[in-house]
Amino acid sequence: GSLIMKRKPELRGQVEEPLMQRLRDHEWDIRHNSLMRLLEVIHEDPLAVSAKTLREMGERVKDRKADIRKAAMVGLCKLYSRNIAEVLPSLEDEVATQTENGDIGKCFNSALWKRISFIPAMLINCWGYPDIPTRHIVLQLLQEYIIPKKAGKADPNADDARASPRAAALLLCFSS
């Protein structure tokens, strides 16, 4: 199915729904395989699948199998990083401070932003899982993929929370 979605864009609509339904299959290997194929598709073209399919992929972070939860978290965070976090202006940049009403969606494709803006909140919600490895993954993904790399360094002479540009960038991600 994913090969058809990649090579034949006109048939995506017919293939997407069955692949999305396989994300809810009883067999964990079918759910995992479907998730991995859909992640391959969206990494090539993030607008290739519907917002509904992206949300269903996000629901896999609640899967009972840890491998599927991890694959969903990592795959969606990489998508977010590649398309949002890497193109955000730095906090010191005038463009970042002059966006209207703090709307960071003006820095990139707004259609894409509407589809994947749920990813940081989805990742933060994963912190609530009782297993320690999942919490470690959440922290690692926040640092590597969600918080913009261009956030810069904190002022070493300041001792308040506002001194951390990366923390401010995280708040900016959740403010929309």
Side-chain angles (χ1 to χ4, degrees):
S2 65
L3 194 58
I4 293 171
M5 290 181 78
K6 290 179 193 175
R7 295 188 180 167
K8 305 260 185 206
E10 63 276 1
L11 298 176
R12 283 181 184 158
Q14 296 172 4
V15 177
E16 182 178 347
E17 185 66 29
L19 264 176
M20 186 179 72
Q21 289 175 355
R22 287 182 174 222
L23 289 172
R24 292 184 230 129
D25 198 276
H26 295 294
E27 298 292 326
W28 75 270
D29 56 334
I30 292 174
R31 291 192 311 271
H32 188 264
N33 191 28
S34 298
L35 176 66
M36 297 310 289
R37 297 307 141 248
L38 284 168
L39 286 170
E40 287 175 12
V41 170
I42 64 171
H43 284 295
E44 287 184 18
D45 180 10
L47 296 173
V49 298
S50 67
K52 181 180 175 184
T53 300
L54 280 168
R55 288 280 182 179
E56 186 63 36
M57 291 168 70
E59 288 296 310
R60 292 299 95 218
V61 300
K62 300 174 187 172
D63 200 278
R64 59 186 173 268
K65 286 294 264 184
D67 291 342
I68 296 173
R69 286 195 307 263
K70 181 179 178 183
M73 285 189 282
V74 171
L76 291 172
C77 286
K78 284 182 178 181
L79 173 72
Y80 185 87
S81 176
R82 180 179 299 132
N83 294 286
I84 304 297
E86 288 182 1
V87 298
L88 284 175
S90 68
L91 292 177
E92 294 83 20
D93 194 0
E94 288 182 30
V95 177
T97 58
Q98 292 178 357
T99 56
E100 295 177 19
N101 301 326
D103 185 10
I104 60 172
K106 297 191 185 323
C107 300
F108 36 77
N109 184 335
S110 62
L112 180 61
W113 172 248
K114 287 178 185 176
R115 289 183 182 197
I116 66 174
S117 61
F118 74 95
I119 293 173
M122 172 216 57
L123 185 64
I124 294 294
N125 287 334
C126 293
W127 181 261
Y129 287 115
D131 58 328
I132 298 299
T134 299
R135 289 183 176 191
H136 287 290
I137 292 169
V138 168
L139 287 175
Q140 182 181 9
L141 293 173
L142 278 171
Q143 291 175 349
E144 285 186 35
Y145 297 114
I146 301 300
I147 300 174
K149 300 286 190 262
K150 295 180 185 177
K153 302 286 183 202
D155 181 4
N157 298 326
D159 18 317
D160 62 356
R162 293 172 293 169
S164 172
R166 287 180 58 91
L170 183 61
L171 290 173
L172 184 64
C173 289
F174 286 105
S175 68
S176 57

